[in-house]
Structures are given as structure tokens and as C-alpha cells.
Amino acid sequence: MGKPTNVTNSIRALRFANGEMTQAELGGRVGVTRQTIIAIEQGRYSPSLEMAFQIARVFQVPLDDVFQYPDTEE
Amino acid sequence: MGKPTNVTNSIRALRFANGEMTQAELGGRVGVTRQTIIAIEQGRYSPSLEMAFQIARVFQVPLDDVFQYPDTEE
DNA sequence: ACATCATGTCAAGTGTTCTTAACATCCACT
DNA sequence: AGTGGATGTTAAGAACACTTGACATGATGT
């Protein structure tokens, strides 16, 4: 299983809070594919810093509202 | 040559503001090599989201204090 | 029953991030 | 002059982010 990233996110909640935006539409807005959004939303890996900024910008919230980094790390 | 990233950062200033911390020491604290810190500090590429969080944590500032993403992107 | 849409999965490939190791320069110290 | 610390550079490769395309499922609508 590799290590499925330490970063968590609130993308799914933000999508629904923003007019039921679909994964495909979010992908289109930030310039990545649908599959990439799915993988990030599920925490399979964490996005690049640039993509993180772009996603936060789509929802018009600060980056910390979208992504959280837990205190403890193994 | 790829594209030297759109994200800018204030790592160098933060290092000096925190007791003249060296690149090697910062690298050690976030668990990456000295060369990686140099490359990021120079904007050769942007770090992963996880590393960005870790760096911000070392300096005890929010992520946006370390990394900036310009409004316009081509 | 059939079509469509949103979500999810898989595999193979491309590109970027990060590592290791070696070498070079500048500065401070002795 | 010689030593050592901090920074910078390069090159080869490993690890991870992201793409493309194809197929599967459940929900909704006709």
C-alpha cells in the first residue's frame, strides 16, 4: 500500500457546498483530469503545492481550509 | 528545462529570521536533503504539499507566510 | 429496458520532485 | 597557506504526481 499521504482534505465537502460541483468540473477548473481529483479526494496521494493553491482558489478559501496536516507524523 | 514553477517563497528570509538557520539544518528538520532546500529556495521547483506544511511548521507560521501563489498564471 | 451521468478502478506511460555523491566557490579563522 | 563551514552546481537515478484510455457500478430519467 505505499503510504497514502498524511495530508487530509475537505474537497468533497467544498464541492457540494459550491453548487454540487462535479469532480470533472473541478478538474477542468484547475486544469487536471477527473482521475487526479478522485485520487486526491481519496487521499491516495497529496497534490503538488501549485495544484493545492489552485483548488483553494476555485473555492475562494485559504489553503488551510482545503488541506490539513496533522500534528503527529509517524 | 521544464518550467521553473509559479510559486515563490520566503524561506531564505525566514531562515535568517530564525537564528541564521542553515540550509542543511532546515533540511534536517524537515527530513530532506540540503540540495532540495537550495532548489526550492531558488524556485527551481515547488515542493510537495507535505514538505510545504513541514517547512511552515519549522518556522511556526502559516503556510501562506512561506509560499505565495501569484494571481495570474498563464 | 435503455440511456446518461457521476463516481470509481486499473494499467501503462510521461514528467516532476527528491536523493546521492562529487566537486567548486566564498568567507572566516588560525 | 591551510582548514572548515555554508552555499551552489551538476548528473544519474529513484520515487511520486499526473495523464490517457478503457471498463465497471449505482442512481436518475425516459
Side-chain angles (χ1 to χ4, degrees):
Chain A
M1 23 177 135
K3 57 160 163 161
T5 210
N6 291 305
V7 179
T8 62
N9 69 82
S10 312
I11 295 179
R12 184 170 285 264
L14 285 162
R15 280 197 299 112
F16 282 96
N18 281 60
E20 312 270 329
M21 184 186 301
T22 69
Q23 294 172 329
E25 165 146 2
L26 176 56
R29 295 252 228 137
V30 306
V32 297
T33 63
R34 187 173 67 82
Q35 287 88 330
T36 299
I37 299 296
I38 293 174
I40 292 172
E41 208 170 281
Q42 294 177 341
R44 282 221 289 270
Y45 50 72
S46 48
S48 68
L49 185 55
E50 293 204 49
M51 192 190 302
F53 271 119
Q54 285 169 7
I55 292 175
R57 188 155 293 175
V58 165
F59 294 126
Q60 306 191 70
V61 295
L63 206 153
D64 302 300
D65 274 20
V66 187
F67 299 97
Q68 300 84 35
Y69 190 66
D71 292 12
T72 59
E73 149 188 350
E74 162 278 353
Chain B
M1 12 235 108
K3 45 154 136 138
T5 210
N6 292 305
V7 180
T8 61
N9 69 82
S10 313
I11 295 180
R12 183 170 285 263
L14 285 163
R15 279 198 299 113
F16 283 96
N18 280 60
E20 311 270 331
M21 185 186 300
T22 70
Q23 294 172 330
E25 165 145 2
L26 176 56
R29 295 251 228 136
V30 305
V32 298
T33 63
R34 187 173 67 82
Q35 287 88 331
T36 299
I37 298 296
I38 294 175
I40 292 172
E41 207 170 281
Q42 294 176 343
R44 283 221 290 270
Y45 51 72
S46 49
S48 68
L49 184 56
E50 293 205 49
M51 191 189 303
F53 271 118
Q54 285 169 8
I55 292 175
R57 187 155 292 175
V58 165
F59 295 127
Q60 306 190 71
V61 295
L63 206 153
D64 302 299
D65 273 20
V66 187
F67 299 97
Q68 300 84 34
Y69 190 64
D71 291 13
T72 58
E73 152 190 349
E74 174 263 349

